[in-house]
Coordinates of all heavy atoms in Angstrom, one line a residue:
M1 N 89.6 96.4 145.4 CA 89.1 97.7 145.8 C 89.5 98.8 144.8 O 89.6 100.0 145.2 CB 89.4 98.0 147.2 CG 90.9 98.0 147.5 SD 91.2 98.2 149.3 CE 92.4 99.6 149.3
G2 N 89.8 98.4 143.6 CA 90.2 99.4 142.6 C 91.5 100.1 142.8 O 91.8 101.2 142.4
Y3 N 92.4 99.3 143.4 CA 93.7 99.9 143.6 C 94.5 100.1 142.3 O 94.6 99.2 141.5 CB 94.5 98.9 144.5 CG 95.9 99.3 144.7 CD1 96.3 100.4 145.6 CD2 97.0 98.6 144.1 CE1 97.6 100.7 145.7 CE2 98.3 98.9 144.3 CZ 98.6 100.0 145.1 OH 99.9 100.4 145.3
S4 N 95.1 101.3 142.2 CA 95.9 101.6 141.0 C 97.3 101.7 141.4 O 97.6 102.4 142.3 CB 95.4 102.9 140.3 OG 96.4 103.3 139.4
P5 N 98.2 101.0 140.7 CA 99.6 101.1 141.1 C 100.3 102.4 140.7 O 101.4 102.7 141.1 CB 100.2 99.9 140.3 CG 99.3 99.7 139.1 CD 98.0 100.1 139.6
I6 N 99.6 103.2 139.8 CA 100.2 104.4 139.4 C 99.3 105.6 140.0 O 98.1 105.5 139.8 CB 100.3 104.6 137.9 CG1 101.1 103.4 137.3 CG2 100.8 105.9 137.5 CD1 102.6 103.5 137.5
C7 N 99.9 106.5 140.6 CA 99.1 107.6 141.2 C 98.7 108.6 140.1 O 99.6 109.1 139.3 CB 100.0 108.3 142.2 SG 99.1 109.7 143.0
H8 N 97.5 109.0 140.1 CA 97.0 110.0 139.2 C 96.4 111.2 139.9 O 95.6 112.0 139.3 CB 95.9 109.4 138.2 CG 96.5 108.3 137.3 ND1 97.4 108.6 136.3 CD2 96.3 107.0 137.3 CE1 97.7 107.5 135.7 NE2 97.1 106.5 136.3
K9 N 96.7 111.3 141.2 CA 96.1 112.4 141.9 C 96.8 113.7 141.6 O 97.9 113.8 141.2 CB 96.2 112.1 143.4 CG 95.4 111.0 143.9 CD 95.5 110.8 145.4 CE 94.7 109.6 145.9 NZ 95.0 109.4 147.4
A10 N 96.0 114.8 141.9 CA 96.5 116.1 141.5 C 97.8 116.5 142.4 O 98.5 117.4 142.0 CB 95.4 117.2 141.7
H11 N 97.9 115.8 143.5 CA 99.1 116.2 144.4 C 100.4 115.9 143.8 O 101.5 116.3 144.3 CB 98.9 115.6 145.8 CG 98.9 114.1 145.8 ND1 98.2 113.4 146.8 CD2 99.5 113.2 145.1 CE1 98.4 112.1 146.6 NE2 99.2 112.0 145.6
R12 N 100.4 115.2 142.7 CA 101.7 115.0 142.0 C 102.3 116.3 141.6 O 103.5 116.4 141.4 CB 101.4 114.2 140.7 CG 101.1 112.7 140.9 CD 100.9 112.0 139.6 NE 99.8 112.6 138.9 CZ 99.7 112.4 137.6 NH1 100.6 111.8 136.9 NH2 98.6 113.0 136.9
Y13 N 101.5 117.3 141.4 CA 102.0 118.6 141.0 C 102.1 119.6 142.1 O 102.3 120.8 141.8 CB 101.1 119.1 139.8 CG 101.2 118.1 138.7 CD1 100.1 117.2 138.5 CD2 102.2 118.1 137.8 CE1 100.2 116.3 137.4 CE2 102.3 117.2 136.8 CZ 101.3 116.3 136.6 OH 101.3 115.4 135.6
D14 N 101.9 119.2 143.3 CA 101.9 120.1 144.4 C 103.4 120.6 144.6 O 104.3 119.9 144.8 CB 101.5 119.3 145.7 CG 101.3 120.3 146.9 OD1 102.0 121.3 147.0 OD2 100.4 120.0 147.7
A15 N 103.5 121.9 144.6 CA 104.8 122.6 144.7 C 105.5 122.3 146.0 O 106.7 122.4 146.0 CB 104.7 124.1 144.5
H16 N 104.8 121.9 147.0 CA 105.4 121.6 148.3 C 106.4 120.5 148.1 O 107.5 120.5 148.8 CB 104.3 121.1 149.3 CG 104.8 120.4 150.5 ND1 105.3 121.1 151.5 CD2 105.0 119.1 150.8 CE1 105.8 120.3 152.5 NE2 105.6 119.1 152.0
F17 N 106.2 119.6 147.2 CA 107.1 118.5 147.1 C 108.4 118.8 146.3 O 109.3 118.0 146.3 CB 106.3 117.3 146.5 CG 105.2 116.8 147.3 CD1 103.9 117.0 146.9 CD2 105.4 116.3 148.6 CE1 102.8 116.6 147.7 CE2 104.3 116.0 149.4 CZ 103.0 116.1 149.0
E18 N 108.4 119.9 145.7 CA 109.6 120.4 145.1 C 110.8 120.5 146.0 O 111.9 120.4 145.7 CB 109.4 121.7 144.3 CG 108.4 121.6 143.2 CD 109.0 121.0 141.9 OE1 110.1 120.5 142.0 OE2 108.3 121.0 140.9
S19 N 110.4 120.7 147.3 CA 111.5 121.0 148.3 C 112.0 119.7 148.9 O 113.0 119.7 149.7 CB 110.9 121.9 149.4 OG 109.8 121.2 150.1
L20 N 111.4 118.6 148.6 CA 111.9 117.3 149.1 C 113.3 117.0 148.5 O 113.5 117.3 147.3 CB 111.0 116.2 148.8 CG 109.7 116.2 149.6 CD1 108.7 115.1 149.1 CD2 109.9 115.9 151.1
P21 N 114.1 116.3 149.2 CA 115.4 115.9 148.6 C 115.2 114.8 147.6 O 114.2 114.1 147.6 CB 116.1 115.3 149.8 CG 115.1 114.9 150.8 CD 113.9 115.9 150.6
E22 N 116.1 114.8 146.6 CA 116.1 113.7 145.7 C 116.5 112.5 146.4 O 117.3 112.4 147.2 CB 117.1 114.0 144.6 CG 116.8 115.2 143.7 CD 115.7 114.9 142.7 OE1 115.6 113.8 142.3 OE2 115.0 115.9 142.3
Y23 N 115.8 111.4 146.0 CA 116.0 110.1 146.7 C 117.0 109.3 145.8 O 116.7 109.1 144.6 CB 114.7 109.4 146.9 CG 114.9 108.1 147.6 CD1 115.3 108.1 149.0 CD2 114.7 106.9 147.0 CE1 115.4 106.9 149.7 CE2 114.9 105.7 147.7 CZ 115.2 105.7 149.0 OH 115.4 104.5 149.7
Q24 N 118.1 108.8 146.4 CA 119.1 108.1 145.6 C 119.1 106.6 145.9 O 119.9 105.9 145.4 CB 120.5 108.7 145.8 CG 120.6 110.2 145.5 CD 120.3 110.5 144.0 OE1 120.5 109.6 143.1 NE2 119.7 111.6 143.7
G25 N 118.2 106.2 146.7 CA 118.1 104.8 147.1 C 117.5 103.9 146.0 O 117.3 104.4 144.8
T26 N 117.1 102.7 146.3 CA 116.6 101.8 145.3 C 115.1 101.5 145.5 O 114.4 101.2 144.5 CB 117.3 100.5 145.4 OG1 117.2 100.0 146.7 CG2 118.8 100.6 145.0
F27 N 114.6 101.6 146.7 CA 113.2 101.1 146.9 C 112.1 102.1 146.6 O 111.3 101.9 145.7 CB 113.0 100.5 148.3 CG 111.6 100.1 148.5 CD1 111.1 99.0 147.9 CD2 110.8 100.8 149.4 CE1 109.8 98.6 148.1 CE2 109.5 100.4 149.6 CZ 109.0 99.3 148.9
S28 N 112.1 103.2 147.4 CA 110.9 104.1 147.3 C 111.1 105.3 146.3 O 110.3 106.2 146.3 CB 110.6 104.7 148.7 OG 111.7 105.4 149.2
R29 N 112.1 105.2 145.5 CA 112.4 106.3 144.6 C 111.3 106.6 143.6 O 111.1 107.8 143.3 CB 113.7 105.9 143.7 CG 114.1 106.9 142.7 CD 115.4 106.4 142.1 NE 115.8 107.3 140.9 CZ 116.4 108.4 141.0 NH1 116.8 108.8 142.2 NH2 116.7 109.1 140.0
H30 N 110.5 105.6 143.2 CA 109.5 105.9 142.3 C 108.1 105.9 142.9 O 107.1 105.8 142.3 CB 109.5 104.9 141.1 CG 110.8 104.9 140.4 ND1 111.0 106.0 139.5 CD2 111.8 104.1 140.3 CE1 112.2 105.8 139.0 NE2 112.7 104.7 139.5
K31 N 108.1 105.8 144.3 CA 106.8 105.9 145.0 C 106.3 107.4 144.9 O 107.1 108.3 144.9 CB 107.0 105.5 146.4 CG 107.2 104.0 146.5 CD 106.0 103.2 146.2 CE 106.2 101.7 146.4 NZ 105.0 100.9 146.3
C32 N 105.0 107.5 145.0 CA 104.4 108.9 145.0 C 104.6 109.5 146.3 O 104.1 109.1 147.3 CB 102.9 108.8 144.6 SG 102.1 110.4 144.7
A33 N 105.3 110.7 146.3 CA 105.6 111.4 147.6 C 104.3 112.0 148.1 O 104.1 112.2 149.3 CB 106.6 112.4 147.4
G34 N 103.4 112.3 147.2 CA 102.1 112.9 147.7 C 101.3 111.9 148.5 O 100.8 112.2 149.5
C35 N 101.2 110.7 148.0 CA 100.5 109.6 148.7 C 101.3 109.3 150.0 O 100.6 109.0 151.0 CB 100.4 108.4 147.8 SG 99.3 108.6 146.4
A36 N 102.6 109.3 149.9 CA 103.4 109.1 151.1 C 103.1 110.1 152.2 O 102.9 109.8 153.4 CB 104.9 109.1 150.8
F37 N 103.0 111.3 151.8 CA 102.6 112.4 152.7 C 101.3 112.1 153.4 O 101.1 112.2 154.6 CB 102.6 113.8 152.0 CG 102.4 115.0 152.8 CD1 103.5 115.7 153.4 CD2 101.1 115.4 153.1 CE1 103.3 116.8 154.2 CE2 100.9 116.5 153.9 CZ 102.0 117.2 154.4
E38 N 100.3 111.8 152.5 CA 98.9 111.5 153.1 C 98.9 110.3 154.0 O 98.2 110.2 155.0 CB 98.0 111.3 151.9 CG 97.7 112.6 151.1 CD 96.8 112.4 149.9 OE1 96.4 111.2 149.7 OE2 96.6 113.3 149.2
L39 N 99.8 109.3 153.7 CA 99.9 108.1 154.5 C 100.4 108.5 155.9 O 99.9 108.0 156.9 CB 100.7 107.1 153.9 CG 100.8 105.7 154.6 CD1 99.5 105.0 154.6 CD2 101.9 104.8 154.0
G40 N 101.5 109.3 155.9 CA 102.0 109.8 157.2 C 101.0 110.5 158.0 O 100.9 110.4 159.2
Y41 N 100.3 111.4 157.3 CA 99.2 112.2 157.9 C 98.2 111.3 158.5 O 97.8 111.4 159.7 CB 98.6 113.1 156.9 CG 97.6 114.1 157.4 CD1 97.9 115.3 157.9 CD2 96.2 113.7 157.5 CE1 97.0 116.2 158.4 CE2 95.3 114.6 158.0 CZ 95.7 115.8 158.4 OH 94.7 116.7 159.0
F42 N 97.7 110.3 157.8 CA 96.7 109.3 158.2 C 97.2 108.5 159.4 O 96.4 108.4 160.4 CB 96.4 108.4 157.0 CG 95.4 107.3 157.3 CD1 94.1 107.5 157.3 CD2 95.9 106.0 157.7 CE1 93.2 106.5 157.6 CE2 95.0 105.0 158.0 CZ 93.6 105.3 157.9
H43 N 98.4 108.1 159.4 CA 98.9 107.4 160.6 C 98.9 108.2 161.8 O 98.5 107.8 162.9 CB 100.4 106.9 160.3 CG 100.4 105.6 159.4 ND1 101.6 105.0 159.1 CD2 99.4 105.0 158.8 CE1 101.3 103.9 158.3 NE2 100.0 103.9 158.1
A44 N 99.3 109.5 161.7 CA 99.4 110.3 162.9 C 98.0 110.6 163.5 O 97.8 110.5 164.7 CB 100.1 111.7 162.5
V45 N 97.1 110.9 162.6 CA 95.7 111.3 163.1 C 95.0 110.0 163.7 O 94.1 110.1 164.5 CB 94.8 112.0 162.1 CG1 95.4 113.3 161.6 CG2 94.6 111.1 160.9
N46 N 95.5 108.8 163.3 CA 94.8 107.6 163.8 C 95.6 107.0 164.9 O 95.3 105.8 165.3 CB 94.6 106.6 162.6 CG 93.5 107.1 161.7 OD1 92.3 106.9 162.1 ND2 93.8 107.6 160.6
G47 N 96.7 107.6 165.3 CA 97.5 107.1 166.5 C 98.3 105.9 166.1 O 98.7 105.2 167.0
I48 N 98.6 105.7 164.9 CA 99.4 104.6 164.4 C 100.9 105.1 164.6 O 101.3 106.2 164.2 CB 99.1 104.2 163.0 CG1 97.7 103.7 162.9 CG2 100.2 103.2 162.5 CD1 97.2 103.6 161.4
P49 N 101.7 104.2 165.3 CA 103.1 104.6 165.5 C 103.8 104.9 164.1 O 103.6 104.2 163.1 CB 103.8 103.4 166.1 CG 102.6 102.7 166.8 CD 101.4 103.0 165.9
K50 N 104.7 105.9 164.1 CA 105.4 106.3 162.9 C 106.3 105.2 162.4 O 107.0 104.5 163.2 CB 106.2 107.6 163.2 CG 106.8 108.2 161.9 CD 107.0 109.7 162.1 CE 108.1 109.9 163.1 NZ 109.2 110.7 162.6
A51 N 106.3 104.9 161.1 CA 107.1 103.9 160.6 C 108.5 104.2 160.7 O 108.9 105.4 160.7 CB 106.7 103.7 159.1
I52 N 109.4 103.1 160.9 CA 110.8 103.4 161.1 C 111.6 103.2 159.8 O 112.7 103.7 159.7 CB 111.4 102.4 162.1 CG1 111.0 100.9 161.8 CG2 110.9 102.8 163.5 CD1 111.9 99.9 162.5
D53 N 111.0 102.7 158.7 CA 111.7 102.6 157.5 C 110.7 102.6 156.3 O 109.5 102.6 156.5 CB 112.6 101.4 157.4 CG 111.9 100.1 157.4 OD1 110.8 100.0 156.7 OD2 112.3 99.2 158.2
D54 N 111.2 102.7 155.1 CA 110.3 102.9 153.9 C 109.6 101.7 153.5 O 108.9 101.8 152.4 CB 111.1 103.6 152.8 CG 112.2 102.7 152.2 OD1 112.4 101.6 152.7 OD2 112.9 103.2 151.3
S55 N 109.6 100.6 154.2 CA 108.8 99.5 153.8 C 107.3 99.8 154.0 O 106.5 99.2 153.4 CB 109.2 98.2 154.7 OG 108.9 98.4 156.0
V56 N 107.0 100.9 154.8 CA 105.7 101.3 155.0 C 105.1 101.8 153.7 O 103.9 101.9 153.5 CB 105.6 102.4 156.1 CG1 106.3 103.7 155.6 CG2 104.2 102.7 156.5
L57 N 106.0 102.1 152.8 CA 105.5 102.7 151.5 C 105.1 101.6 150.5 O 104.7 101.9 149.4 CB 106.6 103.6 150.9 CG 107.1 104.7 151.8 CD1 108.3 105.4 151.2 CD2 106.0 105.7 152.2
D58 N 105.3 100.4 150.9 CA 105.0 99.2 150.0 C 103.6 99.3 149.4 O 103.4 98.9 148.2 CB 105.0 98.0 150.9 CG 105.7 96.8 150.2 OD1 106.2 97.1 149.1 OD2 105.6 95.7 150.7
S59 N 102.6 99.9 150.1 CA 101.2 99.8 149.6 C 100.8 101.0 148.8 O 99.7 101.1 148.3 CB 100.3 99.6 150.8 OG 100.4 100.8 151.6
I60 N 101.6 102.0 148.7 CA 101.2 103.2 148.0 C 101.6 103.2 146.5 O 102.5 102.5 146.2 CB 101.7 104.5 148.7 CG1 103.3 104.6 148.5 CG2 101.3 104.6 150.1 CD1 103.8 106.0 148.9
P61 N 100.9 104.0 145.7 CA 101.2 103.9 144.3 C 102.5 104.5 143.9 O 103.2 105.2 144.6 CB 100.1 104.8 143.7 CG 99.1 105.0 144.8 CD 99.8 104.9 146.1
Y62 N 102.9 104.1 142.7 CA 104.1 104.7 142.0 C 103.7 106.0 141.4 O 102.5 106.3 141.2 CB 104.6 103.8 141.0 CG 105.3 102.5 141.6 CD1 104.5 101.4 141.8 CD2 106.6 102.5 141.9 CE1 105.1 100.3 142.4 CE2 107.2 101.4 142.5 CZ 106.4 100.3 142.7 OH 107.0 99.2 143.2
S63 N 104.6 106.8 141.1 CA 104.4 108.1 140.4 C 105.3 108.2 139.2 O 106.5 107.9 139.3 CB 104.5 109.3 141.4 OG 104.2 110.4 140.7
Q64 N 104.8 108.7 138.1 CA 105.6 108.8 136.9 C 105.7 110.2 136.5 O 106.4 110.5 135.5 CB 104.9 108.0 135.8 CG 104.8 106.5 136.1 CD 106.2 105.8 136.2 OE1 107.1 106.2 135.6 NE2 106.3 104.8 137.0
A65 N 105.1 111.2 137.1 CA 105.1 112.5 136.6 C 105.0 113.5 137.7 O 104.6 113.2 138.8 CB 104.0 112.7 135.6
G66 N 105.2 114.8 137.3 CA 104.9 115.9 138.2 C 106.0 116.2 139.3 O 107.1 115.6 139.2
S67 N 105.7 117.0 140.2 CA 106.6 117.4 141.2 C 107.2 116.3 142.1 O 108.3 116.4 142.6 CB 106.0 118.5 142.1 OG 105.4 119.5 141.4
V68 N 106.4 115.3 142.3 CA 106.8 114.3 143.2 C 107.8 113.2 142.6 O 108.3 112.4 143.3 CB 105.6 113.5 143.8 CG1 104.8 114.5 144.6 CG2 104.8 112.9 142.7
R69 N 108.0 113.3 141.3 CA 108.8 112.3 140.7 C 110.2 112.3 141.2 O 110.9 113.3 141.3 CB 108.8 112.5 139.2 CG 109.5 111.3 138.5 CD 109.4 111.4 137.0 NE 109.9 110.2 136.4 CZ 110.2 110.1 135.1 NH1 110.0 111.2 134.3 NH2 110.7 109.0 134.6
H70 N 110.7 111.1 141.6 CA 112.1 111.0 142.1 C 112.3 111.7 143.4 O 113.5 111.9 143.8 CB 113.1 111.4 141.1 CG 113.1 110.5 139.9 ND1 114.0 110.6 138.8 CD2 112.4 109.4 139.6 CE1 113.8 109.6 138.0 NE2 112.8 108.9 138.4
K71 N 111.3 112.0 144.1 CA 111.5 112.7 145.4 C 111.5 111.6 146.5 O 111.0 110.4 146.3 CB 110.3 113.7 145.7 CG 110.3 114.8 144.8 CD 111.7 115.6 144.8 CE 111.6 116.8 143.9 NZ 112.9 117.5 143.8
D72 N 112.0 111.9 147.6 CA 112.1 110.9 148.7 C 110.8 110.7 149.4 O 110.4 111.6 150.2 CB 113.2 111.4 149.7 CG 113.5 110.3 150.8 OD1 112.6 109.5 151.0 OD2 114.6 110.4 151.3
A73 N 110.1 109.6 149.1 CA 108.8 109.4 149.6 C 108.7 109.2 151.1 O 107.8 109.5 151.7 CB 108.1 108.3 148.8
F74 N 109.8 108.6 151.6 CA 109.8 108.4 153.0 C 110.0 109.7 153.8 O 109.4 109.9 154.9 CB 110.9 107.4 153.4 CG 110.8 106.9 154.9 CD1 109.7 106.3 155.3 CD2 111.9 107.1 155.7 CE1 109.5 105.9 156.6 CE2 111.8 106.7 157.1 CZ 110.6 106.0 157.5
T75 N 110.7 110.6 153.3 CA 110.8 112.0 153.8 C 109.4 112.6 153.8 O 109.0 113.3 154.8 CB 111.8 112.8 153.1 OG1 113.1 112.2 153.2 CG2 111.8 114.3 153.7
A76 N 108.7 112.4 152.7 CA 107.3 113.0 152.6 C 106.4 112.3 153.6 O 105.6 113.0 154.2 CB 106.8 112.7 151.2
Y77 N 106.6 111.0 153.9 CA 105.8 110.3 154.9 C 106.0 111.0 156.3 O 105.1 111.3 157.0 CB 106.2 108.9 154.9 CG 105.6 108.1 156.1 CD1 104.3 107.5 156.0 CD2 106.3 108.0 157.3 CE1 103.8 106.8 157.1 CE2 105.8 107.3 158.4 CZ 104.6 106.7 158.3 OH 104.1 106.1 159.4
N78 N 107.3 111.2 156.6 CA 107.6 111.8 157.9 C 107.1 113.2 158.0 O 106.6 113.7 159.0 CB 109.2 111.8 158.1 CG 109.7 110.5 158.4 OD1 109.1 109.8 159.3 ND2 110.7 110.0 157.8
D79 N 107.1 114.0 156.8 CA 106.6 115.3 156.8 C 105.1 115.3 157.1 O 104.6 116.2 157.8 CB 106.8 116.0 155.4 CG 108.3 116.5 155.3 OD1 109.0 116.4 156.3 OD2 108.6 117.0 154.2
G80 N 104.4 114.4 156.5 CA 102.9 114.3 156.7 C 102.6 114.0 158.1 O 101.7 114.5 158.7
Y81 N 103.4 113.1 158.7 CA 103.2 112.7 160.1 C 103.4 113.9 161.0 O 102.6 114.2 161.9 CB 104.2 111.6 160.5 CG 103.7 110.7 161.7 CD1 103.1 109.5 161.4 CD2 103.9 111.2 163.0 CE1 102.7 108.7 162.5 CE2 103.5 110.4 164.0 CZ 102.9 109.2 163.8 OH 102.5 108.4 164.9
K82 N 104.5 114.6 160.8 CA 104.8 115.8 161.5 C 103.7 116.9 161.4 O 103.3 117.6 162.3 CB 106.1 116.4 161.1 CG 107.2 116.4 162.1 CD 108.5 117.2 161.7 CE 109.1 116.5 160.5 NZ 110.3 117.2 159.9
F83 N 103.3 117.1 160.1 CA 102.2 118.1 159.8 C 100.9 117.8 160.6 O 100.4 118.7 161.2 CB 102.0 118.0 158.3 CG 101.0 119.0 157.9 CD1 101.2 120.4 158.0 CD2 99.8 118.6 157.3 CE1 100.3 121.3 157.6 CE2 98.8 119.5 156.9 CZ 99.0 120.9 157.0
A84 N 100.5 116.5 160.6 CA 99.3 116.1 161.4 C 99.5 116.4 162.8 O 98.5 116.9 163.5 CB 99.0 114.7 161.1
L85 N 100.6 116.1 163.4 CA 100.8 116.4 164.8 C 100.8 117.9 165.1 O 100.3 118.3 166.2 CB 102.2 115.8 165.3 CG 102.2 114.3 165.3 CD1 103.6 113.8 165.8 CD2 101.1 113.6 166.1
S86 N 101.4 118.7 164.2 CA 101.4 120.1 164.4 C 100.0 120.7 164.4 O 99.7 121.7 165.1 CB 102.3 120.8 163.4 OG 101.8 120.8 162.1
I87 N 99.2 120.2 163.5 CA 97.8 120.6 163.5 C 97.1 120.2 164.8 O 96.3 121.0 165.3 CB 97.1 120.0 162.3 CG1 97.6 120.6 161.0 CG2 95.6 120.2 162.4 CD1 97.0 120.0 159.7
A88 N 97.3 119.0 165.2 CA 96.6 118.5 166.4 C 96.9 119.3 167.6 O 96.1 119.5 168.5 CB 97.1 117.0 166.7
K89 N 98.1 119.9 167.7 CA 98.5 120.7 168.8 C 97.7 122.0 168.9 O 97.4 122.5 170.0 CB 100.0 121.0 168.8 CG 100.9 120.0 169.4 CD 102.4 120.3 169.3 CE 103.2 119.0 169.3 NZ 104.4 119.2 168.6
V90 N 97.5 122.6 167.7 CA 96.7 123.9 167.8 C 95.2 123.7 167.8 O 94.5 124.6 168.2 CB 97.1 124.8 166.5 CG1 98.5 125.3 166.7 CG2 96.9 124.0 165.2
A91 N 94.8 122.5 167.5 CA 93.3 122.3 167.4 C 92.8 122.2 168.9 O 93.5 121.9 169.8 CB 93.0 121.0 166.7
Ligands
LIG101 ZN1 99.9 110.2 144.9

């Protein structure tokens, strides 16, 4: 399905992700935090239970550049999930 292991989306440069903590672990350090955010959002709006660890990030692309580099992608996932729920409340 045309899956690319490297993220080339514009959200790599989203300033929002500058505020994420630096990730010092081994697994999701190079995952795209922008894609992780969108994945969390997608899970929330589809009623999928929130993931408990960063193995959920297995399927998302890596990122090599921009604001999201070396950011904590699992934190971004949780942020996306929370963001979707906060929107659902006001809708
Ligand atoms: Zn991405």
Side-chain angles (χ1 to χ4, degrees):
M1 57 187 232
Y3 173 74
S4 167
I6 303 287
C7 179
H8 294 292
K9 292 182 182 176
H11 63 211
R12 288 182 298 158
Y13 299 99
D14 191 325
H16 167 79
F17 299 114
E18 294 284 5
S19 63
L20 288 172
E22 294 283 335
Y23 183 70
Q24 300 301 330
T26 54
F27 177 69
S28 61
R29 180 174 171 85
H30 298 287
K31 291 291 186 172
C32 176
C35 290
F37 185 92
E38 290 178 1
L39 184 66
Y41 185 93
F42 178 82
H43 281 183
V45 298
N46 286 283
I48 298 167
K50 191 156 66 126
I52 52 163
D53 63 45
D54 64 2
S55 64
V56 70
L57 305 175
D58 220 9
S59 63
I60 68 168
Y62 291 89
S63 181
Q64 299 293 330
S67 306
V68 295
R69 190 175 185 194
H70 292 181
K71 297 302 181 182
D72 188 335
F74 190 56
T75 299
Y77 170 88
N78 284 314
D79 281 358
Y81 204 99
K82 243 187 297 177
F83 180 65
L85 293 183
S86 69
I87 289 177
K89 274 180 206 150
V90 289

